[in-house]
Amino acid sequence: MRIRGLRLYTPKSDLDSNGVMQATGLEPTALYTQLAQLPSGAFEIHAKILIEAAEANVARIESQIRDLERLRDRERGIVAQLRMAIAPIRKLPAELLAEIFLIVRDSLIRFRERDCIRLSHVCAHWRSVAQSTPQLWTSRLVLMPKTTPSVNHLTSIKQWLDRSAPFSIPIVLQIPEQHQKTVDPNALVAVLATAAQRWKTADFDILSLDVLSHIPAGSLQSLKVLHLRCPDVRNHSMVPAFLTAGNLRRVILDTRFSSNLLLPWSQLTYIYMAEPDPMECLDILVRCATLESAFFTTHQWEELPEMSHRPMTTLERLKFLHIDFELMGATPDSLYYSPFITCLALPALKTLSLAPSDSPWSSAEFTQFQLRCPNLEVLSVERSTLSSNDLLAVLRHAPSLLRLELECCMDCIDDSVFVALQYSPTHLNLAPKLKELSCTDAGSNFSEEALDTMIQSRWWTDNQLPSPLPSISRWSSISIHCSDDLDEEVSDWSPWFANKLETYQAQGLGVHVQR
């Protein structure tokens, strides 16, 4: 029993000489009708034979379709290549194309090495232009190895460094914490060190300083910023190359025992340190004679250290000082922050941000410190046991203060503070230049009347300018947020005071007082 050769798309149905149905191109309903005319015993046999024939036809058609699709795709590729060949950008001079590459680099927020590689992979011409444009390869080189780098990886990094010459480059080597004990970065640092003379910024997150021993001495003359994260620098090989980095000005350290580092402390203008030992922070601070900005995150002293042997250190250029004392879990009565400021004189200090973290406020020591900082303009105190009497002492010695920020100082604001800040033409006025007052989580130990009297005494519009001119500055903004940690019901402001606040706001005073 056989089926004659089937012809596609031919609406024909008949029986061959052996009585077997031949069906090609019939609609399913017509085909079923033809099958139904066969003897009942032959129906299934003929149907299976026709199924096999139809499936073979489908396979042949699909093969033809794939061939046509490949042909179509090839022709499309030819069209794309021809269009690229006559595209206007192909006529651009190499110098202009390189300038476009640099604009693309500068327009992306995070332009990394893979973006340079993508540009260079468009075509041979673009690759030639990209590789001959060293400025394109001066974006930050970020290396975050999860395994010890292979030879091919090291070769690609060396190529990147070579293409950026002779320009300076920023580098980042951050080994994820979970891989620091399994990744060997020595070969990687050795490759980076071949361009050490061109490092502009260096960011290292490593387990040991020993891996930096590959940096040649005297090679870091272009280095301006160093960011170093290392668990502990004791018993590690020091890096003398940093000591001779003549242009190093900014240092960010997240280490232990940072004073052991060989760094040119005396030439730094900016420093940030996350160091648990406050004496380490203080020891480094007093060595930075040209410092302008300093940020410290550290702990308090659990016992008062002996400070009488330490000479007074004057930092002539320091304008911004931020000290955040983190809680260590000890009781507040056993913690001290004042040793940090007892031996400092900062005549140029403009901004002081202090977070004693609930350690007892040392009013006498802070007053003496203020006398050595006569130009302080912005004072920010967070998480402090500062009382209203302590705050009054601060205000008495703040002749240049422009802005006062208090956060989580629940006991420092009461009526006595607002009364003391009221302007009087016949008495000495506290903080005569104070314009901005911000109190967050300040409690509610004050009255509406005292606050309003203080505001009104130091506020006037341009048309209400008093004569003679007052000896104090008028308010520009007052923001007070009265939190209640006791979960007690706190009443809203009275309609009278709420109306006064709206009047001040309509007059142009930025006043916001919230329960």
Side-chain angles (χ1 to χ4, degrees), residues 259-271:
S259 61
N260 292 325
L261 293 171
L262 297 179
L263 292 176
W265 305 108
S266 61
Q267 70 186 38
L268 301 181
T269 60
Y270 175 99
I271 188 170

Side-chain angles (χ1 to χ4, degrees), residues 136-154:
L136 186 64
W137 306 88
T138 57
S139 58
R140 194 169 62 151
L141 178 58
V142 180
L143 304 174
M144 303 179 66
K146 297 181 180 179
T147 60
T148 300
S150 64
V151 174
N152 289 338
H153 189 195
L154 296 175

